[in-house]
Amino acid sequence: MNVEYVSTRDNSDRVSASCAILRGLALDGGLYVPTSIPKLSRSLTELANMDYKQVAFEVMKLMLSDFTDDELKSCIDGAYDSKFDTEQIAPLSYADGAYYLELYHGKTIAFKDMALSILPYLMTTAARKNNITNEIVILTATSGDTGKAALAGFADVPGTKIIVFFPKDGVSDIQKRQMVTQKGDNTFVVGINGNFDQAQTGVKKMFGDASLKAELDKAGYQFSSANSINIGRLVPQIVYYVYAYTRLVKEGKISAGDKINVTVPTGNFGNILACYYAKQMGLPVDRLICASNENKVLYDFFTTGTYDRNREFHLTSSPSMDILISSNLERLIYRIADCDDGTDSELMRELREDGKYTITPAMKEKLSDFYGNFADQKETEQEIRRVFEDTGYVLDPHTAVASAVYQKFLSDTGDDKPVVIASTASPYKFTRTVMRSIGHDDPDKSDIELTDDLSAVSGVKVPEAIEEIKTAPVRHKTTCEVDEMPSVVKGFLKI
Ligand SMILES: *Cc1c(COP(=O)(O)O)cnc(C)c1O
């Protein structure tokens, strides 16, 4: 089956997978979605006997039709290698009645690595396939996590450069150290005198600047984005749900065909959407449990059918889920609107102009796969403590939100099918909250110093990613004003 991609806002904008990866966003501002979702072509038992890379190949080749087998295999080999600290890539840990799918064994110990390790390879392959000879320059503004994962993914990938802007005083110490110590001759990191929104606006301006584009083109460069709406990030995320299910089969925890539930700590709705696509491909997933923190815009949407971003924004202990506009939800809206680009465009216009929209009862009926709920910060810390005291297993705050929401699901529905909980960050990334939750905080110690204490109480080795930043030299010292961003970029590119 040949899968192509269309814009959620214009079905006549129809492109190949490689073109969708190069563009990121569709020209009309919509998101690219597959024209159809193919069924898995191998049986669950066959997949159970494959390793991560083989499963990745079987899943991704169905969604990326215009990549040859050899191209795809070389992308997968480049991505899922010893950068990960376990050969399983995404291992399952059983604790207290749930299987935690640990998506944090990559370079930056958070789940963004799962997709950002392979995106650079997919992108350079896509450029070759579309006869693009310019070097790709990834331009990103970050509030912390995505920037580092993108840097680690693109570092030293031939044919690419990556430039990351972060708010100089607006990220955590660990996040800042992770970025300014980044290796790779093609990496550039800049602290701006401004906040995240200003960094983001500055980057968007450069993307839209026609004369800058022409200057770049003349010098053999073009901008691209590693944004989470790129299907080159979404497709690799389908893989680990298939992998997790088939590991349970392999280990005899379930039989092939048994239904499981999946819980996902959700922000931009990319991770859980990938699980929804896995279900459409035939993976026996029953309910998709969408977990939010106090920014519970998605919980309200699933309960009322109204998406409303007009509300107070909360800064929480699970910062990667502090989001009021979940961009990837548009792809689900498009599907429950029976792929009608007109309906989707209209709802997204309402979101832009009024900050809210309401779906029809018929659309809402199609959301029965989903269950939404949320956990506040107190419940999140209690969940970290509960699981630790019961089992010794330590959750990071994002995973703890998911775990607490799963407990609510259990008591609401009594549905105790085997459950996989997506574990999206290592507790070592959030030592302060974690240590406070389990009663071992020490206010005199820095977040980094607390990592040794966490290791002592949990018995889990401090990850390489943390050990590295303790001693790594600072390589990136550039800072600038917001309006200097374009000249800084030109300076790096020597144009
Ligand atoms: C990005 C992120 C999330 C949210 O994932 P989405 O795909 O945006 O829903 C959850 N947890 C962590 C640790 C993250 O970095």
Side-chain angles (χ1 to χ4, degrees), residues 82 174 218 241 337 380:
S82 58
I174 291 189
K218 227 172 104 199
Y241 291 108
T380 303

Side-chain angles (χ1 to χ4, degrees), residues 32-160:
Y32 282 116
V33 282
T35 45
S36 58
I37 298 189
K39 293 287 174 203
L40 293 170
S41 56
R42 300 283 191 159
S43 74
L44 295 166
T45 7
E46 279 175 296
L47 290 164
N49 288 314
M50 297 181 184
D51 67 12
Y52 193 89
K53 289 188 196 182
Q54 291 167 319
V55 173
F57 174 72
E58 293 299 332
V59 171
M60 290 178 62
K61 74 172 187 192
L62 301 172
M63 296 291 284
L64 303 179
S65 298
D66 72 326
F67 283 65
T68 66
D69 287 2
D70 284 344
E71 284 169 344
L72 192 55
K73 279 184 182 155
S74 95
C75 291
I76 291 168
D77 284 341
Y80 302 113
D81 61 5
S82 58
K83 284 195 282 301
F84 286 77
D85 66 10
T86 160
E87 269 176 32
Q88 298 175 69
I89 307 295
L92 282 168
S93 278
Y94 180 81
D96 207 32
Y99 296 96
Y100 291 90
L101 175 60
E102 297 181 355
L103 303 173
Y104 57 74
H105 288 271
K107 271 292 213 191
T108 77
I109 57 176
F111 105 98
K112 305 269 186 313
D113 291 330
M114 299 303 298
L116 282 164
S117 308
I118 193 165
L119 181 69
Y121 295 96
L122 295 175
M123 208 173 258
T124 46
T125 307
R128 233 180 358 259
K129 298 177 78 63
N130 288 272
N131 302 316
I132 287 170
T133 48
N134 281 340
E135 192 164 334
I136 306 272
V137 179
I138 300 291
L139 212 53
T140 306
T142 186
S143 55
D145 281 351
T146 306
K148 174 61 191 183
L151 283 165
F154 280 90
D156 289 328
V157 174
T160 71

Side-chain angles (χ1 to χ4, degrees), residues 128-377:
R128 233 180 358 259
K129 298 177 78 63
N130 288 272
N131 302 316
I132 287 170
T133 48
N134 281 340
E135 192 164 334
I136 306 272
V137 179
I138 300 291
L139 212 53
T140 306
T142 186
S143 55
D145 281 351
T146 306
K148 174 61 191 183
L151 283 165
F154 280 90
D156 289 328
V157 174
T160 71
K161 290 193 180 356
I162 174 162
I163 305 174
V164 171
F165 292 94
F166 71 97
K168 194 161 68 68
D169 303 310
V171 301
S172 79
D173 263 359
I174 291 189
Q175 287 174 324
K176 185 169 176 173
R177 274 204 70 81
Q178 277 191 314
M179 285 191 279
V180 297
T181 57
Q182 176 64 48
K183 294 183 195 136
D185 290 339
N186 64 338
T187 65
F188 303 90
V189 179
V190 187
I192 66 153
N193 286 316
N195 59 28
F196 170 65
D197 277 340
Q198 291 171 301
Q200 174 100 328
T201 308
V203 164
K204 279 193 181 153
K205 251 195 189 151
M206 284 190 270
F207 274 115
D209 184 338
S211 72
L212 183 60
K213 184 173 184 220
E215 269 184 89
L216 249 69
D217 193 52
K218 227 172 104 199
Y221 295 113
Q222 72 186 60
F223 287 143
S224 194
S225 151
N227 199 296
S228 84
I229 46 83
N230 195 313
I231 61 122
R233 280 185 60 179
L234 200 53
V235 170
Q237 295 182 349
I238 302 171
V239 173
Y240 47 74
Y241 291 108
V242 176
Y243 181 75
Y245 183 95
T246 53
R247 289 324 94 176
L248 293 176
V249 172
K250 185 177 178 164
E251 288 159 23
K253 311 289 188 205
I254 58 173
S255 305
D258 289 354
K259 292 238 163 140
I260 63 165
N261 293 321
V262 175
T263 308
V264 185
T266 298
N268 218 6
F269 209 74
N271 202 1
I272 196 166
L273 184 76
C275 186
Y276 179 71
Y277 282 167
K279 176 170 177 164
Q280 312 280 311
M281 294 178 91
L283 195 70
V285 173
D286 192 17
R287 302 298 294 283
L288 297 139
I289 302 162
C290 176
S292 303
N293 62 24
E294 277 138 331
N295 297 294
K296 59 183 182 57
V297 73
L298 288 165
Y299 163 70
D300 294 339
F301 170 69
F302 285 119
T303 20
T304 65
T306 295
Y307 192 95
D308 187 355
R309 64 152 302 183
N310 303 307
R311 60 180 71 210
E312 201 187 328
F313 177 72
H314 298 275
L315 286 172
T316 74
S317 54
S318 43
S320 300
M321 298 158 70
D322 290 344
I323 285 178
L324 292 182
I325 297 192
S326 300
S327 314
N328 272 299
L329 185 67
E330 181 173 348
R331 289 185 159 112
L332 180 64
I333 297 293
Y334 175 83
R335 261 193 104 73
I336 61 172
D338 295 324
C339 306
D340 183 51
D341 48 358
T343 305
D344 182 275
S345 304
E346 172 56 22
L347 294 176
M348 293 308 131
R349 186 191 62 75
E350 289 173 26
L351 180 63
R352 242 181 356 263
E353 291 173 9
D354 312 327
K356 63 177 177 184
Y357 60 83
T358 302
I359 58 173
T360 63
M363 288 167 76
K364 187 160 185 285
E365 259 174 47
K366 295 190 195 122
L367 292 177
S368 60
D369 285 339
F370 290 88
Y371 167 96
N373 215 324
F374 71 102
D376 66 23
Q377 300 201 72

